[in-house]
Amino acid sequence: MPGQDVWVKPEHVAIIMDGNGRWATARGLPRSAGHKAGVEALQRAVRAVGDRGIPWLTLYAFSSENWSRPKSEVSDLMGLLKFFIRRDLAELHRNGVRVRILGEREGLQKDIGALLREAEALTRANTRMNLQIAFNYGARDEIVRAARKAIAAAQAGEFDRLDEAVFASMLDTADAPDPDLVIRTGGDQRLSNFLLWQAAYAELVFLDCRWPDFGEAELDAALAQFGSRQRRFGGVVARDAS
Ligand code: FPP
């Protein structure tokens, strides 16, 4: 948000959960074991972020590009999404978490589509924390889908002039604040088609730890880095402005 100086605590944290495969390989385990351990880390992350009073968390669980992985791995990841929702939805709901799924729904298996709708419908009225799970998500695809919606809305005469706020309202993340902090585990330093519009002014923190090893200590280290950064949003810091 322009004009805001330093934020001690972010309002919205987004995470690229990378390194499951390498975590498993380093232990002589199949990659699927890494993804399974990744689900436990995901559950820990939701709790830890909620416990720190951060109201928005977005997790990159399956990208539009992940379909190019071996069939068995794609099917493991689909199975884990179902496992996660079936096992953890009730707890998320009890804890006041509103779940929203980002990404393209068309083309997903019917039972997965139904589970995603169930998770959103059950938790719709919750207000303690917002959990967005990017599944079958790619930022370029999201932007193109939003552009199509904008064209249709313009043709229907729903707005006079397309501006940033109108366009943002057509993204999957409509009404969510932009992420202040994007964390990527696994050592690589790139965004991999994640929240390209929304992360325009996000602070990026890259951690070497592999996703299954992510826990409270790693989250706190990322938050400490965030707290030490000076955010200028293209402007100048207050003390330099005159
Ligand atoms: C990257 O690890 C991680 C993913 C492909 C997706 C994240 C998935 C989970 C945390 C588990 C599944 C959870 C749900 C809800 C579907 P990688 O395989 O790219 O690791 P590597 O870079 O070490 O190979």
Side-chain angles (χ1 to χ4, degrees), residues 16-25 31 34-42 60-63 66 69 73 76-82 84-85 133 135 184 186 188 210-211:
I16 301 173
M17 308 179 287
D18 196 16
N20 293 345
R22 281 165 286 163
W23 181 91
T25 305
R31 292 174 59 82
H35 294 316
K36 205 153 183 242
V39 175
E40 304 314 314
L42 186 159
Y60 202 6
F62 190 87
S63 77
N66 286 155
R69 294 187 176 210
E73 185 167 344
D76 285 340
L77 286 164
M78 297 289 152
L80 281 172
L81 178 74
K82 290 192 248 184
F84 167 69
I85 294 181
I133 299 179
F135 192 83
R184 180 178 186 134
D188 287 326
R210 290 159 184 173
W211 176 249

Side-chain angles (χ1 to χ4, degrees), residues 39-81:
V39 175
E40 304 314 314
L42 186 159
Q43 194 196 39
R44 283 199 301 275
V46 176
R47 284 198 192 126
V49 167
D51 286 349
R52 282 154 185 74
I54 296 167
W56 286 86
L57 173 64
T58 301
L59 299 170
Y60 202 6
F62 190 87
S63 77
S64 328
E65 290 72 36
N66 286 155
W67 292 105
S68 64
R69 294 187 176 210
K71 249 186 173 170
S72 60
E73 185 167 344
V74 169
S75 133
D76 285 340
L77 286 164
M78 297 289 152
L80 281 172
L81 178 74

